[in-house]
Amino acid sequence: MTEYWRLVLVFFATVNPAAVALAAASASAPVASLQGLARRAVAAGIGVAVAGALFVGATLGAGRVLDALDIAPETFRIAAGIVMLIVGANAIWGGTVASEPAPDGWQAGVFPIGLPLLAGPASLIAAVSYAVDEGEAKTLGAAVIPLALAALLIVAGVARWRPAPDAIARLSGALLIALACGLMVAGVRDI
Amino acid sequence: MLRGITGTLSLWLAGALALRALVVPGETCPPVSSASAATATSEAALWMDRALQDDGTYLYEYDAGKDRNTPEYNVVRHAGVTMALYMLAASGDRSGMATADRAMTWMRESLYSSGDRAAFQSPYDNSIELGATALMLAGLEQRRLATGDAQYDELMHRLARFLLAMQQPDGSMLSEWQIARGAPYAGIRSKYGTGEAFWALTVMHRLFPGEGWDQKARLTADYLSLHRDTVEQQKYPPWADQWAAYGLAEMADWPLNDDNIRYARSLADRFGFLMRVEAQRTDGWLSELVHGRKARAAGMGTWVEGLGSLWRLASADPRMADMRQKIGERAVCGAGMLASRQVSQSQAGQYVRPGIARGAWFTEGVTRMDDQQHALSALVRIQAVIDARNSEAGR
């Protein structure tokens, strides 16, 4: 597997499109009860835009963040791994990601779809960590695919087939835990 | 919406603060210049001079809180401190030579001879340890490099032949000599001694090329690279062996084989991690609770020595080149911590015995002679790294 596809896998696990789609569908009536494809598409589009902006900020500002914190990239991997571990465990436990009741209309695209479903703590901290280690462009490029997939699932509406995305969400959580452990080990083992 | 975002961000902030406090506090690397490192080495050498007693031994350990010297001694550390002074001389500062020569005389007066071999025998319990002889030889080698004086060449060869008597066919080293049998005790090894002997053998090759010391050193290099951690049951391999790093750096242009390079890279990773953790430690109670107390100079100094050596290797061998900058960063960070933690002249006035406090490194009120040894060697070793980084930054 190339470095790029490994990164795509990381962001697939951290964004967890299946869990996001489930949470978006069940967060509250306004999101769950979106009647038409167009309304779901608007919310998903806004969500991707908000999350995308946060990802861009996290990757482009990664070096400055670490400088400001006085932390070596290797040490930051340990912190990122811990956050990913917690989020992964949460996904296994609940089959989705935590969310509060969503507001009505386009605002649902900002919250909770954009933040914290698409741009969650695991995916943002992973963006910072990998941007420093692997480069900003590659990191952003890798995040695009899971974000797009999550948006598609939101638009499609997954509530009807709940068991399948639920299983995928939990498996993604397990994958995230494995990746988190690898990242922490790398943080300890590398110079 | 705003309430939701505010709640989410507040939760994240709380998590981030907890993570910051418990897992990733900032890494503090005090600045260190070539001049400040040189001042610190000079102060450490002066400490050794003041600590050298009339009988040729050093003050072993001093507890400032109790104003008491510890009434014990360690001959391996005696040889190590003396070697550090000769290393300083080899770097161009010969201010500690007279002290080192007096301490070396004490060792030369306690030699065990067997055929064409000689070893440094403890005058306290008559034991003969690999590490003491290896560091005595290493000290004489540094002296030879510093002065070109050949008067101890024969002794160096006898000491080196003793090391070979301790070497096993697989390159491992036994650590204690049984006088009655005229052979080493089987099965007793030292996690320090092997690397010390290895380094001493590599420098023998530099000083006396063509005599075959390189073949013997290579044997031990391979043992260290491939088998030592398993055979000697290191819990968290690789064992952070700065002596091995010295030896590998000495072999940089032989050159090293791929197994040796893999081992060198793993050592760099280990030393780098230890340095990152140390840079996160403070004197605060939370830091002590979560990250442990600050390392003593005898520990941290070895990490800087190791990194300084591996930086040399990374500068010479393209298979390590990708690590050179990081190794340099970590090494300089460690040197900065060492220099900042040394008791200065003004701070020494607060101690009951300012002459023993000045130039020393204390941990929980106690300083031991190898604190000064490893810190001195580390700061000597780091000079080239600081100079190179300054030069590269200026380009």
Side-chain angles (χ1 to χ4, degrees), chain B residues 72-230:
Chain B
E72 57 185 67
Y73 209 62
N74 181 307
V75 294
V76 182
R77 289 181 175 136
H78 176 98
V81 171
T82 307
M83 182 279 297
L85 284 171
Y86 284 132
M87 184 185 279
L88 178 65
S91 76
D93 177 352
R94 296 177 63 167
S95 61
M97 276 286 293
T99 308
D101 280 344
R102 283 174 57 206
M104 181 57 75
T105 299
W106 184 79
M107 286 190 274
R108 287 193 295 107
E109 288 171 351
S110 189
L111 282 182
Y112 163 83
S113 290
S114 171
D116 63 352
R117 299 188 288 257
F120 173 30
Q121 182 173 25
S122 167
Y124 301 105
D125 60 9
N126 294 322
S127 65
I128 298 170
E129 290 181 63
L130 172 70
T133 300
L135 288 180
M136 179 183 180
L137 172 59
L140 288 171
E141 289 168 343
Q142 295 299 315
R143 188 183 188 283
R144 178 73 151 74
L145 291 169
T147 63
D149 178 359
Q151 67 169 310
Y152 296 122
D153 284 4
E154 178 51 33
L155 175 57
M156 287 163 64
H157 279 82
R158 294 178 67 208
L159 295 169
R161 283 192 286 269
F162 173 79
L163 301 187
L164 297 187
M166 305 296 265
Q167 190 181 42
Q168 301 302 290
D170 65 353
S172 65
M173 295 274 181
L174 297 175
S175 72
E176 292 182 24
W177 183 261
Q178 192 174 10
I179 296 171
R181 283 181 55 233
Y185 283 101
I188 300 179
R189 298 162 199 260
S190 157
K191 60 184 177 181
Y192 305 102
T194 305
E196 291 161 346
F198 163 58
W199 177 43
L201 290 175
T202 61
V203 181
M204 281 299 284
H205 175 68
R206 183 180 358 164
L207 292 170
F208 309 105
E211 295 183 4
W213 302 107
D214 54 339
Q215 293 166 32
K216 301 296 184 181
R218 275 196 184 284
L219 197 59
T220 299
D222 289 346
Y223 171 73
L224 291 169
S225 302
L226 295 169
H227 308 299
R228 189 262 294 269
D229 289 327
T230 308

Side-chain angles (χ1 to χ4, degrees), chain A residues 13-176:
Chain A
T14 54
V15 172
N16 200 340
V20 167
L22 278 175
S26 61
S28 67
V31 175
S33 67
L34 288 176
Q35 296 302 307
L37 192 66
R39 289 184 67 188
R40 289 202 296 272
V42 168
I46 291 173
V48 167
V50 169
L54 291 170
F55 272 102
V56 169
T59 41
L60 297 185
R64 270 166 287 195
V65 168
L66 266 58
D67 283 346
L69 292 172
D70 279 332
I71 296 174
E74 293 78 7
T75 305
F76 193 78
R77 284 181 211 155
I78 299 171
I82 289 171
V83 172
M84 288 161 62
L85 195 72
I86 293 168
V87 172
N90 186 55
I92 290 179
W93 184 261
T96 181
V97 286
S99 174
E100 292 190 15
D104 195 9
W106 65 268
Q107 292 182 341
V110 178
F111 176 86
I113 292 175
L115 176 99
L117 293 181
L118 290 173
S123 53
L124 287 176
I125 202 166
V128 172
S129 185
Y130 285 100
V132 173
D133 287 337
E134 307 288 349
E136 295 156 354
K138 195 193 283 183
T139 302
L140 273 177
V144 165
I145 293 175
L147 281 179
L149 182 60
L152 280 175
L153 290 175
I154 291 169
V155 174
V158 295
R160 283 168 288 175
W161 313 294
R162 186 173 178 94
D166 185 78
I168 294 169
R170 289 173 200 266
L171 286 173
S172 300
L175 174 65
L176 184 55

Side-chain angles (χ1 to χ4, degrees), chain A residues 69-75 78-79 82-83 100 103 106-107 110-111 115-116 119-121 124-125 187-191, chain B residues 1 3-5 7-9 12 19-20 23-28 268-270 272-273 276 280 307 323 326-327 330:
Chain A
L69 292 172
D70 279 332
I71 296 174
E74 293 78 7
T75 305
I78 299 171
I82 289 171
V83 172
E100 292 190 15
W106 65 268
Q107 292 182 341
V110 178
F111 176 86
L115 176 99
L124 287 176
I125 202 166
V188 169
R189 289 189 60 166
D190 286 1
I191 185 170
Chain B
M1 181 179 75
R3 197 171 135 261
I5 291 174
T8 299
L9 293 180
W12 288 11
L19 206 58
R20 172 72 167 178
V23 183
V24 285
E27 294 161 358
T28 305
D269 285 337
R270 177 52 48 90
F273 172 68
R276 282 190 280 129
Q280 291 181 310
L307 286 166
M323 300 185 91
K326 280 278 169 76
I327 293 173
R330 304 284 180 263

Side-chain angles (χ1 to χ4, degrees), chain B residues 351-366:
Chain B
Y351 288 79
V352 178
R353 292 164 67 186
I356 293 302
R358 180 179 169 181
W361 282 264
F362 284 84
T363 303
E364 295 177 339
V366 175

